[in-house]
């Protein structure tokens, strides 16, 4: 079914005032990029598009400023306040959004830039990893896309930038087959990652002033660079459209009116109050009713540097200040750790790691968060957790998620498996160890749910894609059996799991000895 969306009126000579129609079905297949400086009318354009298509297609809006929450009352969008949910919870919410075909606004207002990136990535990941049965058409609108897909590293951590950029890349590059149509808006093309912008086939270019942005806009529209300065002359709400969903040639248009308004709105001039100078001074400096102290509120960030956490958790010896004429006496050197003390510390590590992994949400948290939890628990036990550095913690965590206990680590065969896993990419090491543990103990092949949980996801589809990737790279080989069962061979080790059902449910709470996720 072909549905035309009225975006406004055209401004071409001889045809000015005719409706500017956008083919919604074509848009779902080819995606859209909107560019314009602040105040050019990008948010107005997005609001027009969302309002006109609301009754035809499911929508999800990534809203960093809380500007689109006003759609809820008029068009029935559900507002999801990101600061009230964990990243894992947002993944589950996104999966249910796709399942029940509900239009939503993800309100990221109130979070700092890094937490916005993480929460948006989690939500987009949940949309992307939805089961195949729920791949209904969906318009995914991302305002201020340069925040979530930056072209260069900024003040946020590399981990946050990586997950956010990966989610945006999946949306624009691989989302079409899953029914996801990305509509991204940015103030500056130069700040938006090129591999994200390049996947859009439809463009709406608004007013911009910087030479580099005008040049990129002209390139995307197939215009000569000497004509790029026309973007400086565009009025607010005027855009140049190009793409199969609107026009095969650059088409000037003016965006039409909208039914809802953002909470902030456009700034309007208004006269200052006629307050005498002394009265104004008293209003400012004289306290009125008892006021609570105003302190800056900082939301906890889950991306704090693990190295910094280790330094902060390291106890510092107290040095008594010396008298002015007395030399400073250095603290005594620490005695070397004995073998018994090292063994006792390792046992404490195992116990603390078991407590960390006992949390049901632990499989879905980042390494940095788990390491922070580990260090805090070690300090409460008076154990020097910083001696287990982040790379070693990552390896120990991967082995624990694979179900390896202390007795397993003493097995030479398991030591060989960990050495082979160390040569693989980090994101598949835990899955490789999970399969190796099952093969070593002659257990049934882990199910897709087991594999998904091991790599920190609830999506069986992601687990199947990961196993396919490993098989394509020659890390594993899959053999089918009777009754839709399978076994997996590890060529580097020469091991093979027993036959198992890939569709079986995982049982993380099972207390039995065969639980691949038993805590260490």
């Amino acid at each position: 079914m072909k549905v035309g969306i009225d975006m406004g009126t055209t401004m071409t000579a001889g045809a000015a005032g005719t409706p500017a129609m956008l083919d919604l079905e074509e848009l779902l297949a080819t995606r859209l990029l909107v560019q314009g400086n602040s105040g050019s009318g990008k948010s107005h354009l997005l609001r027009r598009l969302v309002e006109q298509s609301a009754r035809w297609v499911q929508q999800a809006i990534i809203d960093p400023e809380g500007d689109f929450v006003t759609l809820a009352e008029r068009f029935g969008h559900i507002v999801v306040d990101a600061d009230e949910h964990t990243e894992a919870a947002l993944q589950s919410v996104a999966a249910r959004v796709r399942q029940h075909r509900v239009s939503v606004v993800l309100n990221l207002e109130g979070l700092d830039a890094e937490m916005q990136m993480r929460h948006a990535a989690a939500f987009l990941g949940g949309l992307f990893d939805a089961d195949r049965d729920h791949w209904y058409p969906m318009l995914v609108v991302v305002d201020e896309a340069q925040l979530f897909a930056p072209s260069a590293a900024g003040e946020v951590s590399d981990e946050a930038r990586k997950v956010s950029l990966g989610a945006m890349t999946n949306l624009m590059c691989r989302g079409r087959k899953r029914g996801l149509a990305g509509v991204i808006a940015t103030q500056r093309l130069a700040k938006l990652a090129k591999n994200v912008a390049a996947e859009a086939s439809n463009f709406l270019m608004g007013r911009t002033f910087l030479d580099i942005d005008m040049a990129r806009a002209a390139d995307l529209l197939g215009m000569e660079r000497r004509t790029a300065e026309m973007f400086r002359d565009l009025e607010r709400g005027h855009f140049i459209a190009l793409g199969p969903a609107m026009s095969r040639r650059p088409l000037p248009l003016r965006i039409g009116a909208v039914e809802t308004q953002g909470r902030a709105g456009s700034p309007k001039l208004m006269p200052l109050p006629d307050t005498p100078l002394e009265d104004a001074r008293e209003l400012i400096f004289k306290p009125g009713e008892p006021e609570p102290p105003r302190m800056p509120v900082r939301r906890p960030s889950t991306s704090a540097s693990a190295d910094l956490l280790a330094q902060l958790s390291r106890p510092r010896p107290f040095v008594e200040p010396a008298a002015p004429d007395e030399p400073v006496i250095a603290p005594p050197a620490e005695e070397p750790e004995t073998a018994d003390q090292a063994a006792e510390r390792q046992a404490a590590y195992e116990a603390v790691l078991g407590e960390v992994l006992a949390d049901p949400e632990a499989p879905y948290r980042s390494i940095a968060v788990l390491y922070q939890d580990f260090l805090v628990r070690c300090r409460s036990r008076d154990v020097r957790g910083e001696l287990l550095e982040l790379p070693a913690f990552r390896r120990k965590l991967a082995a624990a998620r694979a179900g390896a206990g202390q007795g397993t680590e003493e097995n030479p065969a398991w030591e060989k498996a960990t050495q082979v896993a160390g040569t693989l990419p980090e994101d598949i090491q835990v899955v490789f160890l999970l399969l190796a543990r099952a093969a070593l103990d002659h257990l049934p092949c882990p199910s897709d749910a087991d594999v998904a949980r091991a790599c920190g996801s609830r999506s069986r589809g992601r687990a199947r894609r990961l196993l396919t990737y490993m098989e394509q790279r020659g890390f594993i080989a899959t053999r089918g059996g009777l009754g839709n069962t399978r076994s997996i061979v590890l060529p580097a080790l020469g091991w093979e799991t027993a036959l198992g059902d890939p569709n079986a449910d995982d049982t993380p709470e099972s207390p039995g000895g065969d639980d691949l996720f038993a805590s260490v």
Side-chain angles (χ1 to χ4, degrees):
M1 179 176 62
K2 185 173 182 179
V3 176
I5 300 300
D6 183 3
M7 294 299 296
T9 56
T10 61
M11 303 296 293
T12 54
T18 59
M21 304 302 294
L22 181 146
D23 188 340
L24 182 57
E25 187 175 23
E26 187 67 28
L27 176 64
L28 292 173
T30 53
R31 299 167 295 279
L32 172 65
L33 169 63
V34 181
Q35 187 264 352
N37 287 154
S38 178
S40 62
K42 293 189 313 301
S43 297
H44 181 86
L45 185 153
L46 295 178
R47 189 177 294 273
R48 173 79 178 189
L49 174 61
V50 169
E51 290 181 356
Q52 293 292 313
S53 61
R55 72 188 187 95
W56 296 106
V57 66
Q58 184 186 5
Q59 300 168 342
I61 304 169
I62 310 300
D63 186 6
E65 300 296 336
D67 194 47
F68 291 89
V69 297
T70 53
L71 293 167
E73 183 176 353
R74 174 66 178 82
F75 293 95
H77 290 64
I78 301 299
V79 177
V80 180
D81 293 315
D83 58 354
E84 298 179 0
H85 301 275
T86 64
E87 295 172 38
L90 283 178
Q91 282 186 318
S92 300
V93 169
R96 292 192 290 270
V97 164
R98 297 215 68 183
Q99 177 183 357
H100 300 292
R101 304 188 67 184
V102 178
S103 292
V104 297
V105 177
L106 179 64
N107 181 17
L108 299 169
E109 185 183 22
L111 297 176
D112 59 29
E114 183 161 326
M115 294 301 291
Q116 284 188 347
M117 295 176 73
R118 290 182 174 276
H119 283 68
F123 188 80
L124 290 174
L127 297 178
F128 186 83
D129 290 334
D131 291 339
R132 181 182 292 271
D133 294 340
H134 304 146
W135 287 1
Y136 304 110
M138 171 181 273
L139 207 61
V140 183
V141 179
V142 183
D143 196 12
E144 306 296 347
Q146 76 278 356
L147 301 177
F148 308 106
S151 60
E155 297 181 355
V156 299
S157 68
D158 289 339
E159 183 186 0
R161 177 176 176 269
K162 180 179 178 182
V163 297
S164 181
L165 181 58
M168 289 290 290
T169 303
N170 281 338
L171 170 65
M172 298 300 290
C173 298
R174 302 169 58 197
R176 183 182 65 84
K177 293 184 178 180
R178 291 166 172 78
L180 301 176
V183 176
I184 58 176
T186 179
Q187 292 185 10
R188 294 198 54 202
L189 283 171
K191 288 187 175 183
L192 183 65
K194 290 184 177 180
N195 62 329
V196 173
E199 294 300 324
S201 301
N202 301 284
F203 306 97
L204 281 164
M205 298 299 176
R207 183 176 59 201
T208 186
F209 293 95
L210 295 181
D211 292 341
I212 185 173
D213 293 325
M214 290 191 298
R216 283 195 63 185
D219 288 342
L220 289 173
L221 295 180
M223 302 167 57
E224 296 182 2
R225 293 206 172 191
R226 66 172 179 267
T227 64
E229 291 194 1
M230 66 172 294
F231 293 109
R232 287 176 175 163
D233 300 328
L234 291 174
E235 299 179 13
R236 183 177 184 181
H238 289 231
F239 290 81
I240 306 297
L242 177 70
M246 294 200 69
S247 174
R248 300 290 179 174
R249 296 291 184 270
L251 175 67
L253 57 88
R254 180 177 61 194
I255 305 301
V258 295
E259 301 178 37
T260 61
Q261 298 293 331
R263 292 188 300 179
S266 301
K268 303 294 183 182
L269 292 176
M270 57 186 305
L272 297 177
D274 295 329
T275 305
L277 179 61
E278 292 302 323
D279 293 343
R281 184 183 300 276
E282 184 177 357
L283 289 174
I284 294 175
F285 294 106
K286 183 179 180 180
E289 298 179 359
E291 300 177 353
R294 297 182 180 272
M295 301 295 291
V297 177
R298 294 185 177 272
R299 297 181 181 274
S301 174
T302 60
S303 62
S305 168
D307 295 333
L308 179 60
L309 291 172
Q311 294 177 14
L312 294 175
S313 64
R314 185 178 297 119
R316 296 185 178 182
F318 172 75
V319 180
E320 184 177 355
D325 298 333
E326 294 181 2
V328 177
I329 302 176
E334 296 183 2
E335 297 182 359
E337 191 177 45
T338 65
D340 292 340
Q341 290 174 334
E344 184 178 351
R345 177 168 55 84
Q346 291 296 331
Y349 285 169
E350 300 291 344
V352 173
L353 187 58
E355 294 178 3
V356 172
L357 294 180
D359 188 341
E361 292 296 321
Y364 314 109
R365 291 176 178 162
S366 65
I367 296 293
V369 174
L370 294 177
Y371 189 48
Q372 179 184 10
D373 190 12
F374 173 81
L375 293 176
V376 171
R377 292 176 184 271
C378 284
R379 291 181 63 184
S380 66
R381 289 170 170 253
D382 197 20
V383 177
R384 298 187 59 184
E386 75 279 359
L387 296 180
L388 184 67
E389 297 182 351
L390 183 60
F393 175 80
R394 191 189 302 272
R395 292 191 296 270
K396 187 177 286 291
L397 180 65
R401 282 177 168 173
Q406 188 171 6
T408 310
E409 293 181 351
E410 299 172 357
N411 190 334
W414 181 254
E415 183 178 356
K416 180 182 178 181
T418 56
Q419 291 175 354
V420 173
T423 64
L424 306 179
E426 287 187 358
D427 56 342
I428 63 174
Q429 288 182 12
V430 63
V431 178
F432 183 88
L433 290 175
L434 176 68
L435 299 173
R437 158 76 195 282
L440 180 63
D441 294 347
H442 306 289
L443 297 176
C445 179
S447 66
D448 292 336
D450 293 331
V451 174
R453 186 167 179 266
C455 58
S457 174
R458 293 180 172 87
S459 171
R460 295 173 183 256
R462 179 181 177 186
R464 289 190 290 268
R465 292 192 295 272
L466 191 60
L467 292 175
T468 301
Y469 168 82
M470 295 176 66
E471 188 165 18
Q472 291 173 347
R473 299 301 186 277
F475 301 142
I476 64 172
T478 304
R479 294 180 180 177
L482 297 176
N484 195 30
T485 58
R486 73 177 177 201
S487 65
I488 292 182
V489 180
L490 307 175
L493 300 174
W495 300 353
E496 181 175 3
T497 69
L499 290 173
D501 182 6
N503 298 318
D505 294 329
D506 60 337
T507 53
E509 291 83 6
S510 174
D514 291 342
D515 181 13
L516 294 179
F517 294 100
S519 59
V520 294

